[in-house]
Amino acid sequence: MAKILLAGGAGYIGSHTAVELLNAGYEVVAADNYCNSSPEAIRRVEEITGKPVQLYEADIRDSERLSQIFRENKIDAVIHFAGLKAVGESVKKPLMYYRNNIDTTLTLLETMQAADVRNIIFSSSATVYGEENPVPYKETMQRGVCTNPYGWTKAMMEQIFEDAARADPSLSVVLLRYFNPIGAHPSGRIGEDPLGIPNNLMPYVTQVAVGKRECLTIFGSDYPTKDGTCMRDYIHVVDLAKGHVKAVAYILQHSGTEVFNLGTGTPYSVTEIVETFERVNGIKVKHVYGDRRAGDLPEFYANADKAKALLGWQAEYTLDDMCRDAWNWQKQNPDGYRSSD
Ligand code: NAD
Ligand code: UFG
């Protein structure tokens, strides 16, 4: 079976993808510098699957270290999760974001070329559609104008991959544009473990529910949506991980560059998320309505037809499942991996 390198594999999406790849029979090598994660996540991936992961502590910008990983393992495809992802932080520290995100991509591509590794799948984001495109977003739309440096790194990296593949027809690229991943593995053993105050909605909700935060502020209640709060296409992280397994099967059979949205195609409002979480888990989440957050779009969601047609993938988990599994993870691990036994 093919061997897959997960760059940034100890992170939230990487660890869930490792589980699904191992369950599908692939061998997994993970490399991470743990700047936003813990090796404990990979230990638990092994516990869930009963299978080993070859784990390297490595900065993906370090070409010597990457070359060593490629020398020690015959890698068939790389999935590139390694990057910084906090939108607000990227506005304050743009150079750090450009340096880390672009450098990881360039170093990966260069060392892959030297090691004759021809397949790469990239974690992109719906944010590259920018502000101009109408919803639902389709892969045929042009990338738009991003609202923050994080988004720009994703748009620039997509461009780098496209140019590299155009110059080298033996390089195959799959760009996966994620919508809003939430939830956790149903076992409650792996999940999202943000450092400090969460930027994203669901970890904030679960931390209020578990008593770590006082109150959720819902950013804006005067948007032109059905209840005035923003609408997003939330996708269960296990569905997203399974989308990567399909993308691996696809890239091993196809050449060229292909872009796929990974979303459900159904948007929910912030208020619906809070109400669903409360109903499914039987727990109150204290919340207030506050000002809009700068840069938030009123609504975006995927047209998910292409992934269904070409990858044979579609999301299966419901919003109830996402809320249940997010809470299951948080209540079993109130301090994330730091509450490790
Ligand atoms: P995450 O922070 O949990 O995972 C990213 C991993 O990359 C972390 O383990 C981090 O330690 C590692 N990393 C970062 N820079 C590195 C470097 N230079 N060398 C080695 N490792 C490095 O984030 P995630 O939610 O799992 O996201 C994975 C990818 O998906 C990211 O590229 C992110 O931008 C993208 N993405 C995430 C979302 C989301 O909402 N979670 C949405 C769209 C796209
Ligand atoms: N929200 C709140 N309160 C909070 C946190 C979030 O009301 O404390 C709201 C936001 O205003 C937004 C919704 O919840 O309306 C979702 O916010 P997230 O921060 O969870 O997600 P975003 O849609 O803003 O961002 C996500 C990814 C980014 C990506 C972006 C666009 O986290 O990586 O989608 O694709 F760039």
Side-chain angles (χ1 to χ4, degrees):
M1 202 54 157
K3 193 181 265 196
I4 315 301
L5 171 64
L6 308 186
Y12 173 47
I13 301 169
S15 55
H16 287 83
T17 300
V19 168
E20 298 309 320
L21 285 169
L22 290 166
N23 285 344
Y26 291 99
E27 288 182 60
V28 172
V29 178
D32 206 300
N33 67 357
Y34 312 125
C35 67
N36 196 37
S37 58
S38 158
E40 174 66 12
I42 293 295
R43 198 192 66 70
R44 294 191 186 186
V45 167
E46 293 179 321
E47 169 200 302
I48 291 167
T49 59
K51 295 180 179 173
V53 173
Q54 176 76 40
L55 180 60
Y56 289 86
E57 181 168 359
D59 193 308
I60 306 300
R61 294 169 294 183
D62 180 347
S63 54
E64 290 294 315
R65 184 78 167 135
L66 268 185
S67 302
Q68 180 199 354
I69 295 171
F70 286 127
R71 266 197 314 277
E72 291 178 4
N73 301 275
K74 199 203 151 302
I75 299 294
D76 296 285
V78 176
I79 310 182
H80 178 19
F81 298 102
L84 303 175
K85 63 164 185 174
V87 171
E89 186 183 50
S90 81
V91 175
K92 295 196 183 93
K93 300 178 179 172
L95 301 186
M96 185 171 97
Y97 271 67
Y98 286 113
R99 173 63 74 195
N100 190 72
N101 291 1
I102 310 273
D103 265 7
T104 53
T105 297
L106 293 175
T107 306
L108 259 179
L109 282 169
E110 286 166 356
T111 49
M112 281 175 62
Q113 192 173 43
D116 202 27
V117 178
R118 315 307 321 157
N119 301 304
I120 183 154
I121 296 167
F122 175 59
S123 299
S124 191
S125 166
T127 197
V128 303
Y129 287 104
E131 292 188 314
E132 302 82 4
N133 283 303
V135 291
Y137 293 154
K138 264 190 96 139
E139 294 88 343
T140 46
M141 292 169 173
Q142 296 284 319
R143 283 189 289 268
V145 175
C146 297
T147 52
N148 57 75
Y150 164 76
W152 279 119
T153 69
K154 291 294 178 194
M156 289 175 186
M157 290 186 285
E158 286 200 357
Q159 184 71 48
I160 290 169
F161 280 114
E162 287 167 0
D163 290 343
R166 208 170 291 122
D168 175 4
S170 70
L171 179 68
S172 297
V173 171
V174 167
L175 306 175
L176 298 178
R177 292 179 180 160
Y178 308 157
F179 283 68
N180 287 56
I182 58 170
H185 191 267
S187 66
R189 297 296 290 157
I190 55 172
E192 188 167 11
D193 183 21
L195 288 171
I197 301 171
N199 302 296
N200 298 111
L201 177 63
M202 186 53 87
Y204 210 106
V205 167
T206 60
Q207 290 198 9
V208 172
V210 84
K212 283 184 76 174
R213 313 257 158 226
E214 182 66 25
C215 179
L216 170 75
T217 302
I218 295 180
F219 298 138
S221 52
D222 58 351
Y223 284 100
T225 59
K226 61 184 177 186
D227 62 18
T229 65
C230 291
M231 310 270 299
R232 294 287 183 273
D233 183 339
Y234 296 94
I235 176 171
H236 196 297
V237 67
V238 173
D239 272 332
L240 190 75
K242 288 179 175 170
H244 290 72
V245 178
K246 296 287 191 181
V248 166
Y250 181 90
I251 206 169
L252 295 176
Q253 299 293 326
H254 296 80
S255 55
T257 301
E258 211 61 70
V259 185
F260 295 100
N261 288 338
L262 293 183
T264 67
T266 305
Y268 291 99
S269 75
V270 180
T271 299
E272 283 175 315
I273 297 293
V274 174
E275 287 175 358
T276 306
F277 186 94
E278 291 184 329
R279 174 179 54 74
V280 169
N281 297 313
I283 185 162
K284 284 284 166 209
V285 177
K286 190 174 170 199
H287 57 278
V288 292
Y289 290 87
D291 292 341
R292 292 182 177 196
R293 184 172 68 176
D296 278 345
L297 295 177
E299 175 177 45
F300 62 82
Y301 57 101
N303 174 315
D305 294 348
K306 185 176 174 187
K308 186 175 179 189
L310 269 70
L311 300 180
W313 171 88
Q314 63 183 331
E316 286 168 356
Y317 286 92
T318 64
L319 184 61
D320 282 19
D321 298 329
M322 300 179 214
C323 291
R324 183 200 59 223
D325 291 337
W327 178 230
N328 187 35
W329 151 255
Q330 179 75 75
K331 71 176 184 228
Q332 284 189 45
N333 307 271
D335 292 314
Y337 293 114
R338 288 165 296 284
S339 36
S340 170
D341 34 285

